[in-house]
Amino acid sequence: MDYQQAFDFIAGKVEEELVKSGYTRQKVSSEDSNELVALFTSENIAYSVVYIKDKQQMVLRSCAMTEEGPDNEWKTLATWLYDDETSDRKDAESIANDFLEGVAGTVAIRRAKQVKQKKKKSDDGNADPKFLAKRFVAFFPELRDEIQNEEDCYYPFRGATFAKEHIAPKVADFLKRAKGKELQKFAALFNTQYANGDADTRSIITIVILNSLDDTAFSTLCEELDEETQKAAKAGRKYKGKQVKPEKPKKKSVSRASNLLNSGS
């Protein structure tokens, strides 16, 4: 059984188990040719089975879900070596059984409950500035290459700087022509990302992007925002033109798994 067959077998077994709990297998593919990926999502949790070709590793990962999809803060739950030359069906079955315990055992049940409780208790989301930037690609496709260039040239992702240089000007131009449902859809992006965003993301939305707008554009967009985002936008308006504390680079976590679904690590 080669690695492709083993991956399909293991992912299939995981799918059979997760479907019982209401999970859905998503049609995804990793941009990284070195990986095979299977993604399963529910309302609160996402699981992925990944085969990393050069390391010959079969990996089970999980992360929390947001309204936009997986938050991409993947945590590795199990890692197994699968070598085409020495591994066989019995090895694939052993890996599958271990992965099934990871997604359906008592620890998995506790994990789902903890994520659900965290969502209820916390007003802050965990979507970071890079996640925010990628949401704007739906409106500004050219941002895809600009985000990639930022990731290639800088670490960590300079959320505030990127928003100021690449997103804010596009937002201002967009608001000059946007009307009706197009404007409502654009405002909905701000509402969702403000609700799901971490502290840095919320500040970028209000202090960097919205405060870059002139009064006319600001009022146009503000009228379409929901109550929470509108309140934050108006509160942040008092900082327009003032210096704010620069963002501090965050230390890279050596345990953080590489992101999937077009997210960088």
Side-chain angles (χ1 to χ4, degrees):
M1 181 179 283
D2 63 26
Y3 69 80
Q4 179 70 64
Q5 293 173 320
F7 173 82
D8 291 340
F9 172 77
I10 294 166
K13 289 295 184 181
V14 171
E15 180 179 9
E16 288 177 11
E17 184 61 39
L18 287 176
V19 165
K20 300 175 184 176
S21 300
Y23 284 76
T24 301
R25 182 167 183 170
Q26 305 297 337
K27 294 181 179 180
V28 298
S29 60
S30 175
E31 287 190 344
D32 187 346
S33 60
N34 189 46
E35 295 181 348
L36 299 177
V37 180
L39 175 68
F40 311 92
T41 63
S42 68
E43 181 181 359
N44 299 315
I45 295 283
Y47 287 104
S48 66
V49 175
V50 183
Y51 183 74
I52 305 172
K53 299 176 185 178
D54 61 354
K55 296 181 179 180
Q56 297 182 317
Q57 290 180 343
M58 204 73 69
V59 183
L60 176 67
R61 298 169 177 169
S62 73
C63 74
M65 286 287 290
T66 71
E67 291 182 8
E68 297 293 325
D71 70 6
N72 287 319
E73 295 291 336
W74 294 98
K75 295 181 180 179
T76 298
L77 305 179
T79 301
W80 285 69
L81 180 67
Y82 192 90
D83 184 344
D84 271 357
E85 296 183 3
T86 60
S87 302
D88 55 22
R89 185 178 181 84
K90 288 185 178 180
D91 294 305
E93 291 175 347
S94 294
I95 296 172
N97 289 333
D98 185 60
F99 282 10
L100 292 182
E101 177 63 26
V103 301
T106 55
V107 175
I109 295 173
R110 192 181 309 123
R111 182 187 305 121
K113 288 182 178 179
Q114 288 174 342
V115 170
K116 189 172 184 179
Q117 290 172 354
K118 182 178 179 181
K119 283 189 173 184
K120 288 182 178 180
K121 293 179 180 179
S122 177
D123 291 328
D124 291 332
N126 51 18
D128 62 17
K130 182 163 64 177
F131 187 86
L132 170 69
K134 291 186 176 183
R135 297 314 97 193
F136 280 97
V137 171
F139 290 91
F140 313 122
E142 65 273 20
L143 273 178
R144 190 183 303 277
D145 291 336
E146 294 170 5
I147 291 171
Q148 185 61 58
N149 184 65
E150 175 72 19
E151 292 179 318
D152 290 343
C153 297
Y154 299 97
Y155 181 86
F157 187 86
R158 303 175 304 162
T161 299
F162 185 86
K164 180 180 180 181
E165 296 179 354
H166 299 280
I167 299 177
K170 293 177 175 63
V171 171
D173 289 340
F174 182 85
L175 290 173
K176 292 177 182 178
R177 63 179 186 276
K179 295 180 180 179
K181 291 184 178 180
E182 186 179 34
L183 179 59
Q184 293 173 5
K185 185 177 179 180
F186 194 56
L189 183 152
F190 283 86
N191 294 334
T192 299
Q193 296 312 310
Y194 187 82
N196 293 334
D198 60 17
D200 288 340
T201 296
R202 290 185 169 193
S203 293
I204 287 172
I205 289 173
T206 56
I207 305 301
V208 179
I209 299 177
L210 296 183
N211 277 358
S212 72
L213 303 174
D214 60 30
D215 291 341
T216 299
F218 179 81
S219 296
T220 297
L221 181 58
C222 206
E223 289 179 1
E224 301 295 334
L225 298 177
D226 62 23
E227 184 178 355
E228 180 187 16
T229 311
Q230 187 180 98
K231 182 178 179 180
K234 291 180 177 179
R237 197 68 174 171
K238 64 183 179 181
Y239 292 104
K240 182 175 173 59
K242 296 182 180 181
Q243 291 290 331
V244 295
K245 189 175 181 180
E247 56 194 348
K248 296 180 179 179
K250 298 176 181 178
K251 294 182 179 180
K252 187 174 182 179
S253 172
V254 296
S255 63
R256 179 176 176 179
S258 59
N259 291 340
L260 302 178
L261 294 177
N262 299 329
S263 290
S265 57

